[in-house]
Amino acid sequence: MQWTLVIPLKPLTRAKSRLSDTAADGLRPGLALAFAQDTVAAALACPAVKDVAVVTDDALAGRELGSLGARIVADEPSGGLNTALAYAAAVVRASRPDSAVAALNADLPALRPLELARVLDAAAEFPRAFLPDAAAIGTTLLAAREDQELLPAFGTDSRARHRASGAVELVLDAVDSVRQDVDTGDDLRAALALGVGPRTAAQAARLLIPGQ
């Protein structure tokens, strides 16, 4: 099964506020963009991925991610994360009604294409499925087969919310790069330990992170 990934990205000036203990205000937008660039590049290199749609209203992010090969979808509803994801999924399916769609976080800078393929192959066994994040509280990927609505419920305690919505929780080993999103300085250190993409590595080199 070939998947279309929908990746949401908020305006870079408002992104990654919880990294304030690690990255100064002037560095966080560039870091957030680097996360998204490495995520999109790895996703496009995944053999299970047909294409990637990024939903964002940030002009710079749209240009940079579009240059990597992503389709850019404007966040026309401007109603928050879940509304943006549902809208982008509908835009994708307007032209390809038979698309299997998965929402993927934009902050997975250590993402490895073959690990993502393993997750998507497992998700293909169920109508809807999700992968919890490394903290086992949130969600990094939510997948819906071609005949299912995505029904995103990201946000606080999204692992529990997606499970309550009927999505199957994927229990997989050796997919750490798909689970390691980055919200805090500790998350960034964990991603760096896994091995991040080149853009994140370049941005992180500007930060004084012990052990980097």
Side-chain angles (χ1 to χ4, degrees):
M1 180 179 292
Q2 292 285 294
W3 295 82
T4 292
L5 300 189
V6 178
I7 298 179
L9 183 62
K10 67 173 62 174
L12 297 175
T13 55
R14 295 194 284 108
K16 297 301 157 194
S17 59
R18 292 171 61 193
L19 276 173
S20 58
D21 63 338
T22 303
D25 290 349
L27 296 178
R28 286 200 304 276
L31 203 54
L33 177 58
F35 293 166
Q37 288 173 304
D38 286 333
T39 299
V40 167
L44 286 168
C46 174
V49 173
K50 181 177 182 179
D51 54 7
V52 171
V54 175
V55 54
T56 186
D57 277 339
D58 191 286
L60 173 60
R63 289 194 301 272
E64 294 295 329
L65 299 174
S67 71
L68 293 177
R71 173 183 180 181
I72 306 303
V73 177
D75 182 12
E76 292 183 4
S78 299
L81 174 59
N82 292 309
T83 300
L85 286 170
Y87 171 73
V91 168
V92 166
R93 284 179 166 166
S95 57
R96 292 199 304 276
D98 59 346
S99 291
V101 175
L104 183 72
N105 287 11
D107 57 353
L108 299 170
L111 185 64
R112 297 187 175 99
L114 293 182
E115 290 186 14
L116 176 59
R118 186 163 175 252
V119 173
L120 291 171
D121 288 346
E125 300 297 319
F126 306 99
R128 291 174 64 245
F130 73 95
L131 185 74
D133 64 8
I137 297 171
T139 303
T140 56
L141 181 141
L142 173 68
R145 289 179 59 105
E146 64 278 2
D147 55 348
Q148 300 290 318
E149 293 298 319
L150 189 60
L151 302 178
F154 287 86
T156 305
D157 298 325
S158 66
R159 178 188 185 188
R161 294 168 67 188
H162 283 132
R163 187 190 294 136
S165 77
V168 173
E169 180 173 333
L170 299 173
V171 181
L172 298 170
D173 295 325
V175 292
D176 292 349
S177 76
V178 196
R179 300 183 64 203
Q180 188 58 66
D181 55 352
V182 177
D183 288 316
T184 67
D186 285 343
D187 294 336
L188 179 55
R189 292 178 183 89
L192 289 169
L194 287 174
V196 296
R199 298 165 187 85
T200 300
Q203 289 291 326
R206 303 172 65 189
L207 309 175
L208 297 178
I209 299 178
Q212 182 184 331

